[in-house]
Amino acid sequence: MTTVTTASRRQGRGGRERILAAAAGLFAAQGINATGMEQIAERAPVSKRTLYAHFRTKGELVLAHLEELASTGRTLEGALTREDTPPRERILTLFDPSPAGTDPVRGCPFIDAAVEFPDPRNAVHSYARERKLLMVRLVADLVAELGCHEPSVLAEQLVTLADGAASRAMVLGDSNYGRHARAAAEILLDNALPTTS
């Protein structure tokens, strides 16, 4: 009896992490709304009771998923905060293609979540908005560092291009769609930044 109890305890350890990993994979593959809690529990694998003990609602799970993405640097914000890359290159990474083998092509996870939780008072939508506002601040800091006189204006233009490119990449299934926005971003940067002679 003791052996069974110990084995079942061991099997139950790491349930939250397995749930988040399963949710991340399923959300990326088929979207948030198309993914059911039962499917996540099966993929984890955990019982539905364990799943709901960690996340009382799907909204809580989505929020935890987004927070984990943000904390691990697996979003565009992560590229913007890299200290080993010059500011201009950090900005232009917003338009880089998705990593090879990423299938299907997904846009920004924060925009995706905000679309699927459209009520601006919803915690998921609110968190997505915070991340998008942070992205503008990060870009504004970088363009200010480059000498731009109106960093907030240029930052809004650049992140609008990046978000639009990510959305079109997802709709068209073209992981390299950002190349079009990158060309426009380079023109914006060239025109807004002081020339060095």
Side-chain angles (χ1 to χ4, degrees):
M1 192 94 169
T2 306
T3 309
V4 173
T5 306
T6 306
S8 67
R9 277 191 193 143
R10 239 183 250 133
Q11 187 179 16
R13 294 183 69 197
R16 186 175 196 282
E17 291 75 18
R18 289 197 312 275
I19 293 165
L20 284 169
L26 289 166
F27 292 161
Q30 58 194 31
I32 295 169
N33 280 344
T35 301
M37 294 292 269
E38 193 166 303
Q39 196 178 13
I40 293 167
E42 186 177 312
R43 173 75 65 92
V46 296
S47 68
K48 283 198 286 184
R49 180 179 175 187
T50 299
L51 173 60
Y52 285 106
H54 288 289
F55 305 102
R56 291 175 300 156
T57 66
K58 187 175 181 183
E60 282 186 11
L61 175 56
V62 172
L63 187 57
H65 162 66
L66 294 176
E67 289 170 344
E68 182 173 90
L69 274 179
S71 71
T72 58
R74 293 180 306 186
T75 63
L76 292 176
E77 296 161 14
L80 292 172
T81 57
R82 291 185 60 167
E83 295 292 327
D84 62 336
T85 308
R88 184 182 173 106
E89 287 309 307
R90 282 189 253 170
I91 293 165
L92 293 175
T93 61
L94 295 174
F95 309 100
D96 285 352
S98 303
T102 304
D103 190 34
V105 176
R106 287 287 176 214
C108 169
F110 302 115
I111 291 177
D112 293 346
V115 167
E116 298 203 44
F117 290 83
D119 182 351
R121 295 164 301 184
N122 180 281
V124 171
H125 192 101
S126 241
Y127 185 75
R129 181 175 53 248
E130 287 171 23
R131 300 318 293 189
K132 299 315 288 180
L133 292 172
L134 173 62
M135 185 175 164
V136 172
R137 289 193 303 273
L138 292 171
V139 172
D141 290 345
L142 292 173
V143 294
E145 190 178 332
L146 290 169
C148 177
H149 297 297
E150 294 185 37
S152 60
V153 172
L154 181 57
E156 285 290 353
Q157 293 168 344
L158 291 167
V159 298
T160 298
L161 273 175
D163 286 341
S167 297
R168 288 186 62 81
M170 186 268 295
V171 171
L172 300 174
D174 179 358
S175 65
N176 195 27
Y177 189 85
R179 69 191 180 279
H180 303 295
R182 182 185 176 112
E186 288 177 331
I187 293 168
L188 283 172
L189 285 164
D190 290 342
N191 290 333
L193 300 177
T195 56
T196 53
S197 29

